[in-house]
Amino acid sequence: MKFINRKSELEALNEKWESGDPQMVILYGKRRVGKTELMKQFGKKKPFVYFLADKRNQIEQLREFGRIVGEFSRDTVLVKHGFTDWIEAFQYLKNLNKQFVLAVDEYPYLVESDPATSSLFQKGWDVYLKESGIFLLLSGSSIAMMESETLIQKSPLFGRRTGQLLVEPLSFEQAWKFFPKKTFHEFMRFYTITGGMPAYLSQMDPDRSPEENIESRIFSTTEFLFNEVEFTLKEELREPQNYLAILRAISWGKRKFGEITNETGLKKNVLTKYLNVLERLHLIDKEVPVTEYHKEKSRKGLYRISDNFFRFWFQFVYPYKSELQIGKTEEIIERYKTCSSSLEAVVYENVCCELLRGFEKNIFSFDRVGRWWEANTEIDIVGLNEKKKQILFGECKWSSKPVGTNVYADLKKKAGTVQWERSKREDSFILFSKSGFTDDMISLAKKEGVYLVHGNTLL
């Protein structure tokens, strides 16, 4: 896999390494987000031991772990016989008497094979490793299990970690580096499908169209992306069918709690639990108007799928699995061509929020950025500065037509209905456009100080 960016993550890890102190860092994030590559990049030019856990029993995994450590320490006896238990392993690691990185990947598999694993690692850290030269990285894709075993107060390893790092998907700008020859508009078409997941981006052939990539890399039943969503949910959840139903409902526009209830037939208390789990797994977000102070108490919450590929998969793979199984792809490709622009428009709004953060030096700093709505009125993007009472209203237009003064006039009218600090605030306006702006809008923007963004460029 091509390694892109992760500059801030590597800097954080290297800062801890350079301190020379023993470290236990919890590194977690969604499957395919690039955790393994990050650890391997961090381990370059350092004494580095990498162990990938799996679903074998504890005896076999200890033997494998011993072989890997033995090769690192050039201990032929250990290579041949391995370790008999974890305490023996921790004693051995302490006696190496040097600074080195030990990366234990997919740590949750060790816990599955023996529920006492985290307690043993706790004892190993307290008795042996916290006075050694080890830089211990515990990594996992099961966010729920990583949190329950290492991060929450009741977990055996709580209080032992010296740091934690949630590896997020790449931003739009970072992901664009996978396709450096693509224009903003061209890459948006790919990003709408893959999001910022390195494993998904690396599956796309930049020399082929999005439609060709979809047909060969996603619709083909032999490709891993065909079953990726179901596999991910089965790995993480005990009742994947109910979660599949919820995610499908949200992807098809059922974003209110009541709408999801009606679509899935799940009881309200059960649905609440499932939605909370999906939020914890970073698969969905509960979105509220940006001016709301208490997200958890808001009755205006709308749910959305936060992963671009999941959104795509639920719209173009999940409903048509029977057709795809027998190779009938033409009709679904045509359906995608018809719907792709509206799908890109949804993603474009999220990209505009990201771009706006990059324009803070040119506009003003934002405490919060997001959408706003009230009754039948919606504003695509609003940025707030609480202390200075500044507010920025914006519209994002993913259209083949240049944006004209009518869009700006409509935005000003809608801004007048927003009650936030109404008598004290300072209003500003910004327009994002795929296809540029009319001459009249450009002239008016200069006159009234309206910010204009064409693609990803602030004019």
Side-chain angles (χ1 to χ4, degrees):
M1 186 189 297
K2 187 187 295 185
F3 188 79
I4 298 291
N5 199 266
R6 300 303 186 194
K7 182 179 178 182
S8 61
E9 291 92 337
L10 286 172
E11 285 178 351
L13 292 172
N14 279 313
E15 184 178 344
K16 288 185 173 296
W17 168 263
E18 289 165 7
S19 74
D21 298 327
Q23 305 285 344
M24 181 195 290
V25 177
I26 310 303
L27 193 148
Y28 65 116
K30 292 193 293 186
R31 195 174 302 277
R32 317 290 190 192
V33 79
K35 299 181 299 299
T36 299
E37 290 302 317
L38 173 60
M39 289 189 291
K40 289 181 178 179
Q41 288 291 321
F42 170 63
K44 280 186 175 180
K45 299 181 181 179
K46 299 180 181 72
F48 181 65
V49 182
Y50 175 80
F51 172 66
L52 176 61
D54 54 38
K55 294 194 173 186
R56 289 177 294 173
N57 63 47
Q58 198 81 301
I59 293 173
E60 291 185 9
Q61 299 215 66
L62 279 162
R63 186 180 294 120
E64 173 75 1
F65 182 63
R67 180 187 65 77
I68 292 170
V69 173
E71 289 176 351
F72 171 73
S73 62
R74 299 181 181 180
D75 184 336
T76 56
V77 175
L78 183 58
V79 168
K80 184 175 181 179
H81 298 288
F83 293 118
T84 57
D85 58 54
W86 283 111
I87 299 302
E88 180 190 7
F90 299 139
Q91 287 176 321
Y92 188 94
L93 293 170
K94 179 183 179 180
N95 291 333
L96 290 177
N97 288 320
K98 65 177 180 177
Q99 188 183 20
F100 67 101
V101 179
L102 170 60
V104 179
D105 205 354
E106 294 302 350
Y107 176 74
Y109 286 151
L110 291 180
V111 177
E112 285 181 10
S113 65
D114 183 357
T117 297
S118 292
S119 295
L120 291 169
F121 269 69
Q122 173 196 337
K123 182 177 180 180
W125 180 261
D126 290 346
V127 177
Y128 303 105
L129 300 183
K130 71 177 182 180
E131 302 297 336
S132 70
I134 197 169
F135 191 115
L136 178 60
L137 281 167
L138 296 181
S139 175
S141 301
S142 174
I143 294 176
M145 189 173 287
M146 288 299 291
E147 289 179 344
S148 65
E149 292 294 324
T150 67
L151 297 176
I152 65 173
Q153 193 165 0
K154 294 181 180 179
S155 65
L157 291 173
F158 181 79
R160 272 73 183 178
R161 73 183 187 275
T162 58
Q164 70 281 326
L165 182 57
L166 173 61
V167 182
E168 300 274 14
L170 297 171
S171 67
F172 177 86
E173 294 282 351
Q174 293 166 349
W176 197 354
K177 294 176 182 177
F178 273 85
F179 299 82
K181 295 181 181 179
K182 298 290 184 186
T183 66
F184 176 87
H185 305 137
E186 290 170 340
F187 179 62
M188 265 294 301
R189 299 196 66 206
F190 285 90
Y191 184 76
T192 298
I193 300 166
T194 64
M197 299 295 280
Y200 305 160
L201 287 158
S202 65
Q203 288 295 303
M204 299 292 109
D205 184 344
D207 295 325
R208 305 179 74 183
S209 69
E211 290 81 5
E212 289 172 321
N213 274 286
I214 288 168
E215 189 162 11
S216 63
R217 302 296 174 89
I218 301 175
F219 285 177
S220 172
T221 58
T222 61
E223 297 293 320
F224 89 85
L225 288 176
F226 180 76
N227 285 316
E228 169 69 0
V229 172
E230 286 177 297
F231 175 77
T232 299
L233 294 177
K234 287 175 182 176
E235 282 286 298
E236 190 75 53
L237 304 165
R238 294 180 181 177
E239 300 169 313
Q241 291 307 315
N242 287 331
Y243 291 99
L244 282 165
I246 293 167
L247 290 166
R248 184 184 187 280
I250 296 172
S251 74
W252 283 87
K254 309 300 183 183
R255 300 187 59 198
K256 296 179 180 178
F257 184 89
E259 292 173 339
I260 302 170
T261 302
N262 293 335
E263 183 73 13
T264 61
L266 294 169
K267 293 181 179 179
K268 291 182 178 180
N269 62 326
V270 174
L271 179 60
T272 298
K273 182 187 74 171
Y274 286 163
L275 289 171
N276 288 337
V277 170
L278 289 171
E279 279 191 87
R280 263 199 339 267
L281 298 179
H282 302 270
L283 296 177
I284 65 170
D285 294 323
K286 183 182 179 182
E287 189 180 22
V288 301
V290 70
T291 53
E292 296 269 309
Y293 285 100
H294 302 290
K295 179 179 178 179
E296 64 282 355
K297 296 180 181 179
S298 175
R299 296 187 177 183
K300 298 178 182 178
L302 298 176
Y303 292 92
R304 65 176 182 179
I305 294 180
S306 55
D307 185 295
N308 290 0
F309 181 74
F310 271 56
R311 187 187 301 110
F312 170 88
W313 191 88
F314 275 102
Q315 291 193 25
F316 298 105
V317 178
Y318 189 55
Y320 308 110
K321 290 199 77 174
S322 297
E323 291 91 332
L324 294 173
Q325 287 282 2
I326 57 174
K328 293 180 66 176
T329 62
E330 296 85 357
E331 184 179 332
I332 307 167
I333 288 291
E334 289 303 314
R335 189 181 298 271
Y336 166 76
K337 289 179 180 178
T338 302
C339 301
S340 61
S341 184
S342 59
L343 196 63
E344 288 159 16
V346 171
V347 175
Y348 183 54
E349 286 188 18
N350 298 332
V351 171
C352 288
C353 286
E354 179 187 315
L355 293 173
L356 188 57
R357 289 289 188 183
F359 299 146
E360 284 184 307
K361 291 181 180 179
N362 305 93
I363 305 175
F364 58 82
S365 61
F366 304 106
D367 298 316
R368 301 198 300 280
V369 172
R371 288 201 316 124
W372 178 91
W373 63 91
E374 180 71 50
N376 295 321
T377 304
E378 296 185 13
I379 300 177
D380 292 338
I381 190 167
V382 175
L384 304 174
N385 185 304
E386 300 274 5
K387 186 177 180 180
K388 295 183 179 180
K389 309 301 181 190
Q390 293 173 304
I391 186 167
L392 177 74
F393 300 98
E395 288 291 315
C396 310
K397 296 299 181 184
W398 190 255
S399 167
S400 58
K401 296 180 179 180
V403 169
T405 56
N406 60 317
V407 173
Y408 174 49
D410 185 52
L411 176 59
K412 287 202 295 183
K413 183 179 178 181
K414 291 189 290 186
T417 67
V418 178
Q419 297 300 312
W420 182 85
E421 301 290 352
R422 189 164 184 173
S423 62
K424 305 174 185 177
R425 75 191 189 204
E426 176 187 338
D427 290 5
S428 299
F429 297 90
I430 188 167
L431 300 176
F432 294 82
S433 172
K434 171 188 177 183
S435 304
F437 304 89
T438 64
D439 291 340
D440 287 345
M441 186 62 239
I442 293 172
S443 297
L444 185 58
K446 291 178 180 177
K447 181 180 177 181
E448 299 196 8
V450 180
Y451 299 98
L452 302 180
V453 181
H454 183 195
N456 65 323
T457 303
L458 181 64
L459 302 180

